[in-house]
Amino acid sequence: MTEAILLVGGRGTRLRPLTVRTPKPMVPAAGVPFLTHQLARARAAGVEHIVLATSYLAEVFEPYFGDGSALGLHIEYVTEEEPLGTGGAIRNVASRLHSGPDEPVLVFNGDILTGLDIRALVRTHGATGADVSLHLTQVTDPRAYGLVPTDDTGRVLAFLEKPQAPEEIVTDQINAGAYVFRRSVIDTIPAGRVVSVERETFPGLLAAGAHLQGMVDSTYWLDLGTPAAFVRGSADLVLGRAPSPAVPGRCGDRLVLPTATVAPDAKLAGGTVVGEGAFVAEGARVFGSTILPGAVIEPGAVVTDSLVGIRARVGERSVLTGTVIGDGATVGAHNELREGVRVWCDATIPAGALRFSSDQ
């Protein structure tokens, strides 16, 4: 396997306001766009040619990654004029692939952080003679996911979408968003229309008697679809819990980018990232959070499990827990924002305007 398709066209609506101006794969995680980690891991697994299937804010990818040579890759870009779904996106880029009909092509979603052994998935694909091989992972509560039961050889038996009743939960294995396709199978996906691999392509292949193989790899896996998950994923990359050769520094309790400024008595911990040109003032405490480039954390502010957007500002002695501050937004002094709060881009919250507890 030497080539891959990376699906990066989603609108990232669950991540807004992070994705108002930036496509989800380009939001920084551990100091670099999240997509950088996926590209670096693919390259480490032997991939040389990657086609990015883009749609939403497609124009930002190529100026950043260029032809991919800086990462040791050859990257091409294909933009969907209208969103085509996961299967439609795969089919839409098929003409850019160089693999022969029986050769393997890696396909993975642009919002999954995983420790998957990519080479092992490819070996499983080859050894079993599968038409498509899927990375499966095990989760404690599978109700939010599609279940993928397999037999004792790992062959996929069915695709069960988001079961709710206890009797419907027949396995804890879910589709983890990485696949190896036999090249010829990609050409069977209908062209020019919306197609879901999860709901149409895979069930259709099963019904036609194709061989779909599952490989359970329950190392690190995280769907970065929500702000809380994205912040946690970034922290886990910094802490070394999630593997990536693209983290720009040593793994540890904090990652401070070269042009950032942190006051000597400020406290950073829990996998916190302070981006380029950002400033963390004296007495501030930042735990498990992502401070994006140019943001300012004023004196005495406390930021926990949160993300502060590009050139945003958190006022003096404000307290943020589990919140997202959009690019260019300002949270005035002495505010208190708790879990789930999202402050939109360029919004301003006056000093002392919001609290969840007594001002005493």
Side-chain angles (χ1 to χ4, degrees), residues 15-103:
L15 276 177
R16 288 166 69 88
L18 298 180
T19 51
V20 170
R21 299 171 179 171
T22 306
K24 177 167 51 177
M26 295 299 289
V27 177
V32 296
F34 174 68
L35 179 56
T36 309
H37 300 289
Q38 293 186 304
L39 294 172
R41 294 199 72 245
R43 182 66 191 94
V47 173
E48 298 173 356
H49 175 223
I50 290 186
V51 184
L52 295 188
T54 67
S55 180
Y56 176 62
L57 296 176
E59 66 276 6
V60 309
F61 292 95
E62 189 167 3
Y64 189 91
F65 291 107
D67 64 2
S69 57
L71 292 170
L73 291 164
H74 173 217
I75 297 177
E76 293 187 69
Y77 306 83
V78 177
T79 301
E80 302 164 28
E81 297 306 319
E82 295 291 335
L84 295 171
T86 49
I90 293 168
R91 182 65 178 84
N92 192 51
V93 306
S95 63
R96 302 294 185 94
L97 299 173
H98 310 314
S99 300
D102 290 325
E103 291 182 320

Side-chain angles (χ1 to χ4, degrees), residues 30 231-241 252-255 268-274 286-291:
V231 170
R232 186 164 83 250
S234 177
D236 285 347
L237 284 161
V238 174
L239 292 165
R241 295 171 180 165
D253 221 25
R254 57 157 80 181
L255 174 64
L268 311 179
T272 286
V273 182
V274 183
V286 187
F287 182 86
S289 296
T290 296
I291 311 302

Side-chain angles (χ1 to χ4, degrees), residues 4-344:
I5 298 169
L6 222 168
L7 305 176
V8 294
R11 298 185 66 85
T13 52
R14 290 185 297 159
L15 276 177
R16 288 166 69 88
L18 298 180
T19 51
V20 170
R21 299 171 179 171
T22 306
K24 177 167 51 177
M26 295 299 289
V27 177
V32 296
F34 174 68
L35 179 56
T36 309
H37 300 289
Q38 293 186 304
L39 294 172
R41 294 199 72 245
R43 182 66 191 94
V47 173
E48 298 173 356
H49 175 223
I50 290 186
V51 184
L52 295 188
T54 67
S55 180
Y56 176 62
L57 296 176
E59 66 276 6
V60 309
F61 292 95
E62 189 167 3
Y64 189 91
F65 291 107
D67 64 2
S69 57
L71 292 170
L73 291 164
H74 173 217
I75 297 177
E76 293 187 69
Y77 306 83
V78 177
T79 301
E80 302 164 28
E81 297 306 319
E82 295 291 335
L84 295 171
T86 49
I90 293 168
R91 182 65 178 84
N92 192 51
V93 306
S95 63
R96 302 294 185 94
L97 299 173
H98 310 314
S99 300
D102 290 325
E103 291 182 320
V105 177
L106 176 69
V107 178
F108 50 115
N109 292 337
D111 56 0
I112 301 295
L113 177 59
T114 176
L116 168 68
D117 185 338
I118 297 172
R119 291 182 187 270
L121 182 63
V122 176
R123 287 195 300 269
T124 296
H125 179 79
T128 60
D131 295 299
V132 182
S133 297
L134 299 86
H135 171 210
L136 307 180
T137 193
Q138 295 167 306
V139 296
T140 304
D141 183 359
R143 288 176 297 176
Y145 305 97
L147 304 190
V148 187
T150 56
D151 66 16
D152 55 6
T153 69
R155 188 160 181 156
V156 174
L157 300 175
F159 291 89
L160 308 174
E161 278 300 314
K162 297 183 179 178
Q164 297 303 312
E167 62 271 16
E168 295 177 325
I169 301 175
V170 297
T171 180
D172 61 356
Q173 296 174 178
I174 67 166
N175 178 354
Y179 322 109
V180 178
F181 277 75
R182 187 191 302 272
R183 169 66 182 86
S184 58
V185 173
I186 292 175
D187 292 328
T188 68
I189 300 172
R193 69 170 176 86
V194 176
V195 181
S196 164
V197 290
E198 300 87 355
R199 293 177 174 81
E200 181 177 346
T201 304
F202 293 156
L205 287 169
L206 267 189
H211 179 177
L212 276 68
Q213 185 72 22
M215 188 193 84
V216 177
D217 182 323
S218 291
T219 53
Y220 186 97
W221 183 86
L222 186 64
D223 177 350
L224 300 184
T226 66
F230 197 95
V231 170
R232 186 164 83 250
S234 177
D236 285 347
L237 284 161
V238 174
L239 292 165
R241 295 171 180 165
S244 171
V247 176
R250 288 185 178 181
C251 291
D253 221 25
R254 57 157 80 181
L255 174 64
V256 179
L257 276 291
T259 59
T261 302
V262 177
D265 66 342
K267 295 181 179 179
L268 311 179
T272 286
V273 182
V274 183
E276 298 279 358
F279 175 66
V280 180
E282 59 272 14
R285 290 179 287 155
V286 187
F287 182 86
S289 296
T290 296
I291 311 302
L292 292 187
V296 174
I297 310 300
E298 294 188 359
V302 179
V303 181
T304 304
D305 298 336
S306 298
L307 188 144
V308 180
I310 296 170
R311 292 184 297 279
R313 179 177 290 267
V314 177
E316 185 173 353
R317 298 195 177 282
S318 279
V319 177
L320 276 57
T321 305
T323 63
V324 176
I325 310 302
D327 295 346
T330 298
V331 177
H334 302 285
N335 280 291
E336 179 190 9
L337 308 182
R338 288 190 179 175
E339 285 82 357
V341 171
R342 306 184 189 208
V343 178
W344 231 247

